[in-house]
Amino acid sequence: MRSSRQAGPRFRRPPADDPGDFAALLEVFRQAAAQGVNTAGSGYLAYFPSGGLVSSALAELLAQVANRYTGVAQTAPALVEMEEGVLAWLAGRFGLPPGAGGLVTTGASVATLSAVVAARHDRLGASFGDGTIYVTEHTHYSLAKAAQIAGFPAERVRVVPTTDDLRMNPRAAAAC
């Protein structure tokens, strides 16, 4: 994967002070976008950014145009009901019990952070200083970032070897 420093200086230029040609701007964007990885492609599982799909772009467009705050049910009750309906449907699809819930996040990194904080709160309570997170070398890098933001020191995130089928080795985890 190329870094922004390798893409070329023309992509680092600041915007012009005067209006430019829209077609030329779109062409520069097309050239820049052509130098990336298509994370919306089938089978691509390394990163999970939102976007790249027409349905995702349309949903984001509708959310931005409506500009409704859904963090509090009273401010957008019908939209909150829609979100809860989607979450109940997903919970059912994954075999979770009735009443299971959650929240829709902007991406996998925020979802991972939310899961780490929820697990920390549920399993360790307010005194989580002795808590330990066990991962393997195959765990997504966002978990280490989430653990740090959630207050876990780096030494409390332990990398455990895997078995031949790439599952965490329980004996190795017990020895950590």
Side-chain angles (χ1 to χ4, degrees):
M1 198 170 342
R2 299 172 70 166
S3 76
S4 62
R5 297 289 181 203
Q6 296 171 328
R10 68 185 174 134
F11 295 114
R12 283 193 299 273
R13 277 186 261 159
D17 290 333
D18 298 321
D21 178 60
F22 189 63
L25 175 64
L26 288 177
E27 177 57 23
V28 170
F29 177 77
R30 186 197 65 74
Q31 291 173 10
Q35 294 187 28
V37 174
N38 181 8
T39 58
S42 62
Y44 187 84
L45 301 174
Y47 302 100
F48 297 96
S50 60
L53 302 173
V54 172
S55 56
S56 175
L58 181 57
E60 186 61 29
L61 171 71
L62 291 172
Q64 292 297 320
V65 168
N67 192 27
R68 298 297 186 267
Y69 176 68
T70 58
V72 177
Q74 292 87 345
T75 62
L79 294 174
V80 171
E81 289 291 328
M82 288 176 69
E83 180 178 7
E84 289 179 1
V86 168
L87 291 168
W89 172 77
L90 281 170
R93 297 288 292 180
F94 287 98
L96 298 174
L103 61 125
V104 176
T105 66
T106 57
S109 293
V110 173
T112 301
L113 173 59
S114 298
V116 167
V117 171
R120 183 196 75 193
H121 176 73
D122 183 68
R123 300 296 171 184
L124 303 172
S127 300
F128 63 90
D130 290 336
T132 303
I133 298 175
Y134 296 92
V135 300
T136 73
E137 65 180 305
H138 305 288
T139 301
H140 195 273
Y141 70 90
S142 66
L143 192 118
K145 289 181 178 182
Q148 181 181 14
I149 293 169
F152 288 92
E155 64 271 9
R156 302 308 290 180
V157 179
R158 304 216 176 123
V159 180
V160 178
T162 58
T163 60
D164 290 339
D165 59 356
L166 300 180
R167 295 179 182 207
M168 184 180 287
N169 185 323
R171 287 191 179 121
C176 284

